[in-house]
Amino acid sequence: MPVEEFVAGWISGALGLVLGHPFDTVKVRLQTQNTYRGIVDCMVKTYRHESLLGFFKGMSFPIASIAVVNSVLFGVYSNSLLVLTATSHQERRAQPPSYTHVFIAGCIGGFLQAYCLAPFDLIKVRLQNQTEPRAQPGSPPPRYRGPVHCAASIFQEEGPRGLFRGAWALTLRDTPTLGIYFVTYEWLCRQSTPDGQNPSSATVLVAGGFAGITSWVTATPLDVIKSRMQMAGLKQREYRGMLDCMVSSARQEGLGVFFRGLTINSARAFPVNAVTFLSYEYLLHAWG
Ligand SMILES: C[N+](C)(C)CCCC[C@H](N)C(=O)O
């Protein structure tokens, strides 16, 4: 099994993540708390209350984990294409796979990465939702002291299954939308590249950016449900399941609730995925 795709996925995932984390914090807060009037209000309050550091809450854990997760996504995607079409990464420009194969390989990659991502994503969301400013004398300490403490507390309070809270919503969110992700990327690259040639860096950046946006736009409704189910254990607000969470959120807040975080998701998706695809393609090219 070719491993360079896994390594390239690892590095490119980490680069994309740092760039996108401040957007991600604002998104999670908008989706799960009702105290902000919008993106700008949330940014201003976060900055005033917690300084720039507030935007980077919960990042250390994803940076270690997203590398693994992105490596699973790109590694499984590329190796699934190898099985489906018998072409390696190097051969794929000369013999491009069909979009159906690209979609299936993306879904397989998405499905497997979702399970690796679930516990890390849960911890990230819990830490991002702690709005207390960092260690101030006299103020009560935040509930979780950091990622390891957070994981241990969830394990103790909610059991081992607690660590997989929201995992089904996450899997449903990621399986089809990562198929869409790779199809959009391939389609845009092929539109602006002569047959058989490698896409230019500019093409890769734009195609990667739009692949990220398309994938996130289609993923946002389930992203909201996923984040709410992940917070449920903490807020003592139990849902009987995904459907219950969807119905009660829509009843209380209207259908617009399913699009919370859409603008910020899209704004984050472009730079993150442009950089992810560019570094991925660059690394694989450099390694021959
Ligand atoms: C499938 N879904 C839209 C959820 C994610 C697709 C993009 C993945 C990328 N690592 C990012 O964080 O943007």
Side-chain angles (χ1 to χ4, degrees):
M1 180 164 70
V3 293
E4 64 265 31
E5 287 96 332
F6 285 96
V7 183
W10 182 298
I11 300 172
S12 58
L15 288 173
L17 181 100
V18 177
L19 207 64
H21 198 77
F23 295 96
D24 195 69
T25 300
V26 174
K27 175 202 83 175
V28 165
R29 290 184 176 189
L30 286 175
Q31 285 179 338
T32 58
Q33 304 187 21
N34 286 325
T35 43
Y36 305 112
R37 283 195 306 276
I39 296 176
V40 177
D41 185 45
C42 179
M43 284 167 73
V44 170
K45 283 191 179 137
T46 300
Y47 182 74
R48 277 217 192 112
H49 201 54
E50 300 157 72
S51 85
L52 267 188
L53 282 179
F55 293 96
F56 290 94
K57 274 199 184 153
M59 190 179 77
S60 61
F61 215 46
I63 193 100
S65 59
I66 203 71
V68 180
V69 171
N70 210 61
S71 149
V72 170
L73 173 62
F74 280 80
V76 171
Y77 165 73
S78 187
N79 282 286
S80 300
L81 270 185
L82 180 67
V83 172
L84 288 168
T85 64
T87 53
S88 69
H89 184 267
Q90 293 90 333
E91 295 158 345
R92 264 174 226 145
R93 288 295 158 211
Q95 304 165 45
S98 73
Y99 289 118
T100 312
H101 283 150
V102 170
F103 182 74
I104 296 172
C107 290
I108 300 174
F111 182 82
L112 289 178
Q113 68 101 47
Y115 254 88
C116 307
L117 177 63
F120 298 119
D121 192 66
L122 172 73
I123 290 164
K124 179 199 71 133
V125 166
R126 293 273 175 105
L127 291 176
Q128 282 175 318
N129 266 324
Q130 300 200 130
T131 47
E132 299 87 350
R134 254 161 219 260
Q136 274 196 356
S139 64
R143 178 182 185 112
Y144 302 125
R145 289 194 295 272
V148 179
H149 180 241
C150 179
S153 317
I154 296 175
F155 190 85
Q156 267 169 12
E157 290 158 20
E158 300 165 51
R161 288 191 56 199
L163 284 170
F164 283 86
R165 210 176 261 280
W168 268 115
L170 185 69
T171 311
L172 275 184
R173 181 195 80 171
D174 281 8
T175 305
T177 54
L178 282 164
I180 294 174
Y181 180 68
F182 286 107
V183 168
T184 313
Y185 176 72
E186 273 301 312
W187 186 76
L188 285 173
C189 280
R190 287 184 206 174
Q191 290 310 303
S192 37
T193 313
D195 280 352
Q197 281 184 23
N198 282 324
S200 68
S201 303
T203 302
V204 170
L205 278 173
V206 174
F210 279 110
I213 292 189
T214 325
S215 175
W216 272 109
V217 167
T218 45
T220 297
L222 276 169
D223 188 46
V224 175
I225 300 306
K226 182 246 4 148
S227 299
R228 291 183 168 214
M229 297 197 61
Q230 287 173 324
M231 287 308 289
L234 195 64
K235 286 184 170 168
Q236 309 301 326
R237 167 83 183 79
E238 282 297 344
Y239 299 111
R240 281 192 304 279
M242 233 158 39
L243 206 63
D244 181 37
C245 177
M246 281 181 192
V247 173
S248 65
S249 299
R251 270 217 193 108
Q252 280 160 23
E253 295 159 72
L255 285 179
V257 74
F258 294 116
F259 299 99
R260 276 222 209 156
L262 184 71
T263 316
I264 192 96
N265 263 343
S266 311
R268 171 189 168 279
F270 194 92
V272 169
N273 293 287
V275 166
T276 300
F277 271 105
L278 186 68
S279 41
Y280 177 74
E281 295 281 4
Y282 174 83
L283 289 169
L284 285 183
H285 191 70
W287 295 333

